[in-house]
């Protein structure tokens, strides 16, 4: 075998691939990112090979030392990746073998097919773990913003028409809940991801007595009781990418939630709403119009959801027509997975920073929330309390809204006589209905935007997101 010749081509081929073929088929330009996982997987595999007697102790230590050295060089940016070696797996293995002859034994009982499945699962676990942390940070930024303006009311909207008053914090808490389900979805996807595919070989396992459980335990593929989890069908283990798709689906939903948040922020930052001020550092100007201050982070958050949704579609399409088992098509999985991960992680982080640098224009919010039409439903509820069936109450208040509109006055300026002209159930106490503070005191069902429930929810989330540091009451012995 000529030195540096692609490891897997030796023997069978008289020639290396044509230059344009190598360029077309390579994946090193993007899968180099898997180097940490590839090395970690190789170390575990080598330890297992030692355990079953394929490697001597000396061979194992030369492999471990070589891989460690290579890892250090990659980390420093000193490693020379070679396109003709196709991918991260062959680049690392070839360089290892050049340094330590025992490297030629490393691929015993292993194929790149189970190797790449392993690397991807490890990578997903590592990266998604960071994403989970970032989701919590974003929820935290929302809680902080809500707490900074805890008494602010805004109109809640349906059909983008003013509907009923809500606390500004209540609106944010809606996103905190959405993000919590995103958190759970990623967590659940990670649980199914956490099964070790190594030992499946190319597609049919190995004739050698590999210890799959040892490798799984070594790499943290264990259940809640510490028992190793390995894939139970070799063909499934090398060819399915459902773990990547599941993550990309969770990421797409997260991106959609962030996109909705972004749309709200874009609206609120605009002159028509003018509810918030995003700090200069988190906005951009216009090259032509000197007055402009644009919410570009929010717009890009909205825009980037498109690629995350697209990545999910690409992966589903990639997989749907593949015959068993591994096909080279699967190499196309990585960039989609990487892009979804990179995009949602960066977006989640920047949104948290932006919210920490956003303030609420409380007077503008108060003005919008003081629109008495927002309390038309409360007026109907008043009649319900007086015994009127809701359908009739709804009709009566509708008539009052029309009357106010005709008289060009706000709903709360109708006289008692005018109110009573629609139904005699109205009494003098009706005017209290338009007291906004009292109206918010009346909305305290679980999950409602009322003046007791919203602080309760903020406090509930504060406890979850910012648990008090555990202080030991007992002195350490
Ligand atoms: N670079 C390949 C991929 O990402 C690794 C597996 C290649 N296996 C093979 N039999 N050609 O899918």
């Amino acid at each position: 075998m000529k030195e540096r010749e692609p490891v897997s081509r030796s023997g069978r081929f008289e020639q290396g691939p044509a230059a344009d073929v190598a360029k077309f088929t390579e994946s090193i330009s993007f899968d180099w990112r898997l180097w940490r996982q590839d090395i970690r997987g190789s170390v575990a595999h080598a330890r297992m090979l030692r355990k079953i007697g394929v490697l001597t102790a000396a061979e194992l230590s030369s492999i471990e030392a070589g891989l460690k050295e290579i890892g250090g060089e990659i980390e420093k940016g000193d490693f020379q990746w070679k396109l003709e070696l196709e991918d991260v797996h062959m680049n690392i293995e070839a360089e290892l073998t050049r340094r330590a002859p025992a490297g030629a034994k490393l691929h015993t009982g292993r194929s790149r097919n189970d190797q790449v499945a392993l690397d991807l699962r490890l990578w997903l676990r590592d990266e998604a773990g960071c994403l989970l942390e970032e989701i919590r940070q974003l929820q935290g930024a929302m809680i902080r913003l809500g707490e900074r303006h805890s008494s602010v009311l805004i109109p809640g909207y349906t059909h983008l028409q003013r509907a009923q008053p809500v606390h500004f914090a209540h609106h944010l808490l809606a996103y905190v809940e959405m993000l919590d389900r995103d958190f759970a979805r990623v967590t659940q996807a990670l649980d199914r991801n956490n099964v070790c595919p190594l030992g499946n070989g190319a597609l049919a396992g190995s004739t050698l007595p590999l210890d799959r459980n040892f490798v799984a335990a070594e790499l943290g593929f264990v259940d809640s009781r510490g028992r190793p989890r390995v894939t139970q069908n070799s063909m499934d283990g090398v060819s399915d990418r459902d773990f990547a798709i599941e993550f990309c689906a969770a990421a797409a939903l997260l991106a959609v939630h962030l996109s909705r948040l972004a749309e709200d922020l874009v609206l609120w930052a605009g002159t028509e709403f003018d509810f918030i001020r995003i700090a200069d550092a988190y906005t951009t100007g216009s090259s032509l119009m000197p007055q402009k201050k644009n919410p570009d982070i929010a717009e890009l958050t909205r825009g980037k959801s498109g690629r995350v949704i697209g990545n999910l579609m690409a992966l589903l399409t990639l997989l749907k027509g593949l015959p068993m088992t591994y096909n080279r098509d699967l190499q196309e999985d990585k960039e989609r997975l990487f892009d979804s991960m990179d995009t949602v992680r960066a977006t989640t982080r920047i949104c948290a920073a932006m919210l920490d640098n956003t303030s609420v224009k409380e007077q503008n919010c108060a003005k919008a929330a003081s629109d008495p039409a927002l309390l038309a439903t409360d007026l109907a509820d008043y009649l319900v309390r007086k015994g009127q069936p809701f359908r009739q109450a709804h009709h009566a208040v509708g008539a009052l809204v029309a009357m106010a509109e005709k008289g060009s006055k706000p709903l709360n300026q109708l006289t008692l006589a005018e109110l009573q002209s629609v139904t005699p159930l109205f009494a003098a106490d009706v005017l209290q209905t338009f007291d906004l503070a009292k109206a918010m005191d009346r909305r305290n069902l679980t999950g409602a935007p009322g003046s007791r429930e919203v602080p309760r929810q903020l406090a509930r989330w504060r406890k979850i997101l910012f648990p008090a540091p555990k202080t030991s009451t007992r002195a350490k012995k």
Side-chain angles (χ1 to χ4, degrees), residues 172-436:
L172 289 177
L173 280 162
Y175 287 105
V176 175
E177 295 289 336
M178 292 178 226
L179 288 172
D180 198 49
R181 293 191 296 277
D182 293 321
F183 185 96
R185 265 184 289 273
V186 172
T187 305
Q188 288 155 7
L190 280 183
D191 181 57
R192 274 182 289 278
N193 175 62
N194 205 35
V195 183
C196 187
L198 209 69
N200 288 322
L203 77 159
S206 173
T207 60
L208 301 167
L210 308 180
D211 188 340
R212 297 194 62 202
N213 285 341
F214 175 87
V215 175
E218 189 84 354
L219 292 170
F221 291 103
V222 291
D223 66 15
S224 56
R225 291 162 59 185
R227 291 173 304 195
R229 294 171 84 194
V230 300
T231 56
Q232 297 293 314
N233 180 289
S234 62
M235 297 173 81
D236 173 43
V238 293
S239 67
D240 207 348
R241 293 293 182 267
D242 55 358
F243 58 92
I245 293 181
E246 228 183 300
F247 171 77
C248 285
L253 208 36
L254 167 60
V256 165
H257 286 155
L258 296 178
S259 180
R260 295 189 65 187
L261 167 70
E263 171 64 7
D264 279 343
L265 295 173
V266 169
L267 286 173
W268 289 347
T271 315
E272 275 66 24
F273 278 78
D274 209 14
F275 286 176
I276 59 169
R277 180 181 180 283
I278 304 173
D280 289 358
Y282 289 85
T283 58
T284 58
S286 156
S287 57
L288 188 145
M289 300 166 283
Q291 88 283 12
K292 290 300 289 292
K293 189 175 135 175
N294 298 324
D296 289 33
I297 292 175
E299 291 167 83
L300 281 168
T301 296
R302 194 174 55 190
K304 282 177 189 291
S305 63
R307 60 202 283 167
V308 183
I309 295 166
N311 290 337
L312 172 61
M313 294 308 135
L315 284 186
L316 287 167
T317 311
L318 175 68
L319 218 63
K320 83 169 188 70
L322 286 190
M324 288 289 248
T325 54
Y326 179 87
N327 299 269
R328 191 61 178 271
D329 314 44
L330 288 174
Q331 182 167 293
E332 289 287 310
D333 59 1
K334 278 161 223 62
E335 288 163 291
R336 302 300 103 225
L337 175 63
F338 293 166
D339 186 66
S340 281
M341 183 68 80
D342 292 344
T343 306
V344 292
R345 283 196 59 194
T347 308
T348 304
R349 278 199 305 268
I350 195 81
C351 282
M354 176 172 56
L355 291 182
D356 274 329
N357 287 277
T358 294
S359 58
V360 173
K361 297 185 169 179
E362 299 199 350
Q363 285 186 344
N364 294 350
C365 293
K367 187 158 176 277
S370 69
D371 180 351
L374 292 169
L375 296 173
T377 311
D378 294 48
L379 211 51
D381 287 347
Y382 170 92
L383 293 174
V384 167
R385 277 191 207 94
K386 299 276 170 175
Q388 194 170 46
F390 179 74
R391 284 292 167 208
Q392 288 168 24
H394 183 281
H395 187 82
V397 176
L400 289 172
V401 170
M403 185 188 291
E405 218 169 79
K406 230 176 262 158
S408 297
K409 54 179 169 184
L411 193 59
N412 61 345
Q413 298 298 307
L414 292 173
T415 63
L416 186 57
E418 283 171 318
L419 294 174
Q420 285 171 337
S421 73
V422 170
T423 164
L425 289 172
F426 284 119
D429 62 349
V430 66
L431 296 171
Q432 285 184 20
T433 306
F434 292 105
D435 182 325
L436 195 53

Side-chain angles (χ1 to χ4, degrees), residues 8 25-28 30-31 34 86-89 111-113 116 241 326-334:
S8 72
T25 56
E26 66 86 21
S27 55
I28 189 62
F30 49 87
D31 70 12
L34 298 171
E86 246 183 77
D87 57 26
V88 64
H89 324 294
S111 156
R112 276 185 296 158
N113 297 353
V116 71
R241 293 293 182 267
Y326 179 87
N327 299 269
R328 191 61 178 271
D329 314 44
L330 288 174
Q331 182 167 293
E332 289 287 310
D333 59 1
K334 278 161 223 62

Side-chain angles (χ1 to χ4, degrees), residues 80-153:
Q80 197 58 48
W81 298 108
K82 297 191 182 74
L83 184 125
E84 64 276 18
L85 287 175
E86 246 183 77
D87 57 26
V88 64
H89 324 294
M90 296 216 287
N91 265 271
I92 292 177
E93 188 191 332
E95 183 55 26
L96 172 70
T97 307
R98 204 180 63 77
R99 297 174 188 205
K105 292 189 175 180
L106 178 60
H107 215 48
T108 307
R110 187 176 74 171
S111 156
R112 276 185 296 158
N113 297 353
D114 57 349
Q115 190 177 0
V116 71
L118 171 71
D119 291 4
L120 267 188
R121 284 173 186 258
L122 286 172
W123 185 87
L124 182 55
R125 185 213 281 165
D126 290 347
E127 291 277 325
C130 298
L131 173 63
L132 288 175
E133 184 56 37
E134 286 151 358
I135 291 174
R136 287 299 191 218
Q137 301 279 347
L138 176 54
Q139 289 177 303
M142 289 173 173
I143 295 302
R144 283 192 292 272
L145 179 58
E147 286 174 343
R148 283 202 295 281
H149 304 280
S150 61
S151 60
V152 173
L153 296 171

